[in-house]
């Protein structure tokens, strides 16, 4: 029995290693999934009151003045306050679907907002990939 183990052991581990390499080399991240997870994360930042992170997730090819960035952050705070007053706030975001156009580095992500008053709303979040990072458009 020990001899069989000695003979099979190197082959078994070699096959296991080769199988793992084949799987890892063949797997690519689906751009639509990556864009969807990024969109969800940006909206989760809102739920966590990380307004700066949400604003920074918006695509801007050029830099913006600090005062304008602060206005965008205040707008997001007001938006979340409005959602709290009207629907008892957004309690959760869920990914419904995502479609990516890899040639144009764009994606459309469909999220559902689950509100505190038990209503739901589906929203479209257009995304753009820039230097390997997905941003909201």
């Amino acid at each position: 029995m020990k001899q069989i183990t000695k003979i099979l052991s190197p082959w078994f581990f070699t096959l296991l290693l080769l199988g793992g390499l084949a799987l890892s080399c063949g797997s690519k991240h689906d751009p639509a999934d990556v864009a969807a997870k990024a969109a969800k994360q940006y909206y989760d930042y809102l739920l966590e009151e990380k307004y700066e992170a949400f604003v920074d997730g918006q695509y801007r090819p050029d830099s913006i003045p600090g005062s304008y960035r602060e206005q965008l952050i205040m707008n997001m705070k007001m938006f979340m306050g409005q959602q709290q007053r009207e629907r008892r706030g957004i309690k959760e975001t869920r990914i419904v679907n995502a479609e990516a156009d890899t040639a144009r580095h764009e994606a459309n992500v469909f999220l559902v907002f689950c509100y505190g008053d038990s209503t739901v709303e589906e929203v479209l979040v257009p995304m753009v990939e820039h230097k390997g990072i997905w941003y909201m458009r």
Side-chain angles (χ1 to χ4, degrees), residues 72-117:
L72 293 173
I73 292 168
M74 287 303 300
N75 284 345
M76 295 320 316
K77 288 179 182 179
M78 288 188 293
F79 169 76
M80 291 304 286
Q82 178 186 14
Q83 298 307 308
Q84 184 64 38
R85 285 188 306 278
E86 293 178 2
R87 298 181 178 179
R88 290 192 274 170
I90 301 171
K91 301 303 178 190
E92 180 185 4
T93 60
R94 295 182 192 152
I95 299 169
V96 176
N97 192 20
E99 302 165 350
D101 181 343
T102 55
R104 298 178 66 192
H105 300 278
E106 297 176 344
N108 286 324
V109 176
F110 299 90
L111 297 178
V112 166
F113 293 166
C114 302
Y115 292 98
D117 64 0

Side-chain angles (χ1 to χ4, degrees), residues 27-44:
S27 68
K28 278 190 151 186
H29 295 288
D30 180 21
D33 282 345
V34 177
K37 288 176 184 174
K40 181 181 181 333
Q41 181 60 60
Y42 292 134
Y43 276 92
D44 285 347

Side-chain angles (χ1 to χ4, degrees), residues 54-74:
F54 178 84
V55 168
D56 292 341
Q58 297 172 341
Y59 177 68
R60 287 185 197 82
D62 298 319
S63 63
I64 59 172
S67 59
Y68 180 58
R69 183 175 180 272
E70 288 303 316
Q71 287 176 2
L72 293 173
I73 292 168
M74 287 303 300

Side-chain angles (χ1 to χ4, degrees), residues 2-64:
K2 287 184 181 182
Q3 287 182 339
I4 293 174
T5 306
K6 286 181 181 179
I7 293 170
L8 289 179
S9 187
W11 286 105
F12 177 74
F13 289 114
T14 303
L15 288 174
L16 197 61
L17 179 63
L18 290 174
L21 285 173
L23 287 175
S24 67
C25 291
S27 68
K28 278 190 151 186
H29 295 288
D30 180 21
D33 282 345
V34 177
K37 288 176 184 174
K40 181 181 181 333
Q41 181 60 60
Y42 292 134
Y43 276 92
D44 285 347
Y45 286 147
L46 281 183
L47 303 184
E48 298 165 6
E49 298 182 1
K50 296 179 181 176
Y51 305 112
E52 297 86 359
F54 178 84
V55 168
D56 292 341
Q58 297 172 341
Y59 177 68
R60 287 185 197 82
D62 298 319
S63 63
I64 59 172

